[in-house]
Amino acid sequence: MKMKVSVLAVVTCSLLTAPRALANAETPVKSGSVDLNGDGKAEAVSIEYDEAKDEVVLKADGASARIPGDGNAPDGLFIVDLDTRDKRKELVVRTGQTDSDARSYIYGFDGKALKPLGIVPNLTEAKGNGIILSDSWKGFWNQRDKYVLDAKTGKVSLVPQDLYAVGVEATVKQSFPLARSRTDKSAIATLAQGSTIQVLAASPPSGKGGAYLYLVKSSTGLLGWATAKDLMEKTDGLPFAG
């Protein structure tokens, strides 16, 4: 499916002799000028696409970094302020055409070199408090991940979640059981054909090649676990987008 367009909600950057477009962080730009490291001097920033190598070339004040491409020239770069408590600004380059390959590469500048801070699927929201919210579409629900910027290391890291909120309803078209737990497959309930269920949460795969499990509330108020296969094949009404 085509990647959903995410809203890049960020704090307005303090720009020095920058083009108007840089003042709108939701608009990517090819080049501009901004104080990245907080020394009071503006650095020239720009982005280019090396088609022969399928790489995005990010530049800041003579320093450069190469980012893997996706076969397409990016619209530009974004300037964000991940943490308003420091004087720095960050550069974001987005690649990917679908939710499965979407990447937002985040870079900082220390006055000499561009430093990779981390990669998130989508930079959906960053309000300047050091927290990034990143959304990824999972077929019929939106997975929201939280990343934090460590002030000491300058790195962006994922905050693991045991469960992800789902919050969708579906109608059972073919009866199937709900497991007692993620590890105990014995049935706590058997869903009746025609009944309405609520898919409350998703449990991420426990290992490589694993699958999501879903916490489901039956029409009788019982909670149990269902596989993605059962939900997709034996229910109707899940909000799939194509």
Side-chain angles (χ1 to χ4, degrees):
M1 60 171 283
K2 190 71 175 178
M3 181 177 64
K4 296 192 332 182
V5 177
S6 60
V7 177
L8 191 62
V10 295
V11 175
T12 302
C13 302
S14 298
L15 304 176
L16 300 176
T17 62
R20 181 182 297 273
L22 281 180
N24 179 0
E26 293 183 10
T27 303
V29 295
K30 296 293 187 181
S31 63
S33 180
V34 62
D35 181 6
L36 293 173
N37 61 339
D39 64 356
K41 299 178 182 179
E43 285 79 37
V45 297
S46 65
I47 191 172
E48 300 173 357
Y49 179 56
D50 186 338
E51 186 175 1
K53 295 183 178 180
D54 189 24
E55 292 179 337
V56 180
V57 184
L58 179 65
K59 296 182 179 181
D61 198 33
S64 65
R66 286 183 170 263
I67 300 167
D70 61 10
N72 298 277
D75 293 331
L77 61 89
F78 297 85
I79 298 177
V80 300
D81 190 350
L82 296 182
D83 193 340
T84 57
R85 292 168 293 188
D86 60 35
K87 296 181 180 180
R88 297 185 293 272
K89 304 293 185 296
E90 290 75 35
L91 302 176
V92 177
V93 176
R94 298 195 299 195
T95 64
Q97 301 299 307
T98 68
D99 283 291
S100 61
D101 66 0
R103 301 289 185 274
S104 289
Y105 295 83
I106 307 171
Y107 279 82
F109 181 71
D110 64 4
K112 295 181 179 180
L114 283 164
K115 301 291 185 179
L117 306 184
I119 305 171
V120 303
N122 284 301
L123 205 163
T124 304
E125 183 178 292
K127 293 185 176 180
N129 57 0
I131 295 173
I132 295 171
L133 298 181
S134 178
D135 291 340
S136 301
W137 186 246
K138 295 299 181 180
F140 65 88
W141 62 284
N142 181 66
Q143 177 174 309
R144 170 157 286 193
D145 279 299
K146 176 182 177 180
Y147 293 80
V148 294
L149 175 64
D150 188 301
K152 293 182 179 179
T153 65
K155 295 292 185 178
V156 170
S157 59
L158 174 68
V159 179
Q161 297 180 66
D162 183 52
L163 295 175
Y164 290 97
V166 178
V168 300
E169 288 190 350
T171 301
V172 179
K173 66 179 181 181
Q174 180 182 339
S175 180
F176 64 93
L178 294 179
R180 292 170 59 90
S181 72
R182 283 172 279 189
T183 56
D184 184 350
K185 303 305 181 185
S186 58
I188 184 65
T190 299
L191 301 177
Q193 183 177 355
S195 64
T196 299
I197 61 173
Q198 294 177 308
V199 185
L200 303 177
S203 175
S206 58
K208 187 176 181 180
Y212 285 85
L213 291 174
Y214 293 89
L215 183 62
V216 174
K217 180 181 178 181
S218 72
S219 60
T220 58
L222 296 176
L223 292 178
W225 292 90
T227 64
K229 186 175 187 293
D230 278 343
L231 289 176
M232 289 188 289
E233 294 182 357
K234 299 178 181 179
T235 70
D236 284 323
L238 292 175
F240 290 103

